[in-house]
Amino acid sequence: MACSKIFSGDLIELTNKIIQYFHHDYKTLHSCILINRLWCRLAIPLLWEDPFSKKYPKNYHFIEILLHNLNEDDKTKLHEYEINSELFPSNTLFNYPSFIKSINIKKIILSIREWLNIVSTSTFSNGTDTFEIYFPNHFIQNTPSCLHFFIFKLLFKIFIETKVNLHTFEAKDISYSPCIFYNLHANEIIFTEPDFICDNHFIYVFELILQNPNFFHNIRNLNLGCGTIKFDKLIKNCHSFGRFLNSNCNSISSLYFYFSTYVDNTLNDKYLSQLISSRQNIKKILFGTNINFPFYHSLLSLKNSNCSNTLTTIIFHNIKFGNINILKEVFEELNALESIHLLCCYSLNANFIQQIVNINKPFKLKSLILIEEPLHIESLQLLFQISGGYLENFGSFSRLNESELLESIIKYCQILPFKLEYLNLRLIIKPNDFEIFLKNSQNTFIKKLLIKNMNYQTRDILPHIEVIKKYIIKKKRVEYLAIKRASWPSRVDKELFLLKDEVKEFKLHNIQVLRFDDLYINFCNFIKEIV
């Protein structure tokens, strides 16, 4: 079949399928653009779907490429801020903004901040005093809030004019430490709220979308969260935006909602339930990050026929189930549900478990992350008994007796499979016990293995590293490896990554040693990977 397609002139189609296979492998895609014009033309759109993502190189000069078509008025305004227009290329090979499919307001704000850190060369003067502006772990010059906001607006102006075909939109609140202004003349330090990282950016974008509905016409994945600053105006705009979504955007299939503790969540529950009920093809939904969110009406809206036959995934993050008594009523109506995820949720008590027991359908619990809350091992055992066969992702920050918890997992859940995508061990590691674990699991291939030794009494990164070599290198069981010793109380990181000779030895056996933090999957990334 492949040969017939090549000789029938379908080489472009086959090449495109090959390129698509490397969709999120940015290193390989960068190599592809160097092969020939065809490969370059097919790879560039994938590289530019989300240029603000952290997966891209962190030089942030892509912003200059996005801004290269500025008109003379905009260039003059930037010049007033001492941003030289010569930074921008005079021409480009592609219309790069047209390839953008994902926009995350938080990442855009952070990217602008970092880019200004690179290109700014002078201190900021307000006419009478001169300031240098500091941020936690960053030094930025010539970055008053109006400049940052101006660049932010320029980028969205470009997105609108280019008619970006947007598929994913994320607008969640941003919480930062205050920036620190150091007055060079008065020799004093002033703490202040960073105006350019507040709700003004969100309000501007919401109003822009209302004025340009085609910008949101093909949106598929929507991730929204209420801000933590100046709520009154922000929430008003959020609700206007919610009404806009109710009458538009029929292509949305994934809804992620995060709500603040500080707003009227009764009203949010109402708007959310209306939005859910009006959707025709919802496949994935997340309720998250507020233990006080009522979500009674939102949960009931899942019974709507629009959702009951299409919803395949539901994620609860940081939700309190204490006063929720409609789980059986709702879950029995969800005919297409394939996976349920409970991440750091509260009140997984006898009342919650009993509702699950009474459901007349399988409770397909795929992810369970336990938190530091008093839990009854009996209730947890019953949950494992009901859903353990479906469980794929498990984590615990709980103070439950570890031995009882592990016994329950072994008894009711699946045995360790022959291949694990990710295993993160954060334990007080005893060398003998750890060797037993490695020996008993030596038939399991682990793509990403992270080990954080919480034993503060040892100075070694990991006791008996030769044991690790014996069971990992010789068995070729791991593709990516990160090992770290807890730094407290010395506060000096000890990582395998820093031991160059050891890293080379692992590399000779096709095992890539990375920094622990680079391999670590946080909750946000984990949630995005849930299918």
Side-chain angles (χ1 to χ4, degrees), residues 199-369:
D199 54 282
N200 289 337
H201 294 74
F202 297 91
I203 293 170
Y204 172 78
V205 173
F206 291 148
E207 291 177 346
L208 192 67
I209 292 172
L210 295 178
Q211 297 166 12
N212 300 273
N214 288 336
F215 183 59
F216 242 54
H217 180 70
N218 291 323
I219 197 73
R220 300 173 187 174
N221 310 303
L222 183 61
N223 188 333
L224 293 178
C226 291
T228 56
I229 309 172
K230 302 178 184 176
F231 302 108
D232 49 352
K233 189 175 181 181
L234 177 60
I235 297 306
K236 180 180 179 181
N237 278 270
C238 283
H239 290 161
S240 298
F241 184 65
R243 288 191 292 271
F244 165 81
L245 292 174
N246 283 333
S247 56
N248 296 276
C249 310
N250 294 324
S251 59
I252 295 177
S253 60
S254 297
L255 282 170
Y256 283 19
F257 285 93
Y258 297 82
F259 291 104
S260 170
T261 306
Y262 308 101
V263 298
D264 182 3
N265 280 311
T266 302
L267 189 59
N268 280 329
D269 186 30
K270 175 185 174 182
Y271 279 111
L272 179 54
S273 64
Q274 292 174 356
L275 178 59
I276 294 173
S277 299
S278 64
R279 300 301 97 198
Q280 298 293 325
N281 190 35
I282 289 294
K283 295 182 179 180
K284 184 191 298 184
I285 192 165
L286 175 144
F287 302 100
T289 67
N290 182 2
I291 62 174
N292 297 315
F293 187 78
F295 84 100
Y296 175 83
H297 294 96
S298 302
L299 204 55
L300 276 180
S301 65
L302 298 179
K303 294 175 57 179
N304 184 287
S305 59
N306 288 340
C307 284
S308 62
N309 294 318
T310 62
L311 186 65
T312 60
T313 303
I314 183 167
I315 306 165
F316 297 101
H317 181 207
N318 206 35
I319 295 296
K320 187 175 182 179
F321 287 99
N323 298 320
I324 303 299
N325 295 303
I326 55 173
L327 296 178
K328 171 180 166 60
E329 178 182 351
V330 171
F331 278 101
E332 286 194 343
E333 296 296 325
L334 300 178
N335 302 316
L337 196 62
E338 297 176 356
S339 66
I340 303 158
H341 307 265
L342 300 176
L343 311 177
C344 296
C345 291
Y346 295 80
S347 300
L348 303 182
N349 51 26
N351 177 54
F352 172 84
I353 300 299
Q354 191 58 51
Q355 293 183 71
I356 302 304
V357 171
N358 292 335
I359 297 174
N360 294 317
K361 291 182 176 180
F363 190 73
K364 299 180 181 180
L365 182 64
K366 293 294 181 71
S367 300
L368 178 63
I369 309 294

Side-chain angles (χ1 to χ4, degrees), residues 97-124:
S98 66
F99 300 135
I100 293 177
K101 296 185 182 299
S102 177
I103 285 180
N104 182 317
I105 294 181
K106 177 178 179 179
K107 289 182 179 180
I108 293 177
I109 291 173
L110 293 176
S111 296
I112 295 172
R113 187 184 77 175
E114 298 295 344
W115 178 67
L116 288 173
N117 188 26
I118 296 170
V119 302
S120 297
T121 58
S122 301
T123 54
F124 162 55

Side-chain angles (χ1 to χ4, degrees), residues 454-468:
M454 303 304 294
N455 187 348
Y456 300 118
Q457 296 180 355
T458 178
R459 294 185 178 182
D460 296 329
I461 291 177
L462 190 69
H464 296 189
I465 196 169
E466 295 301 324
V467 174
I468 293 182

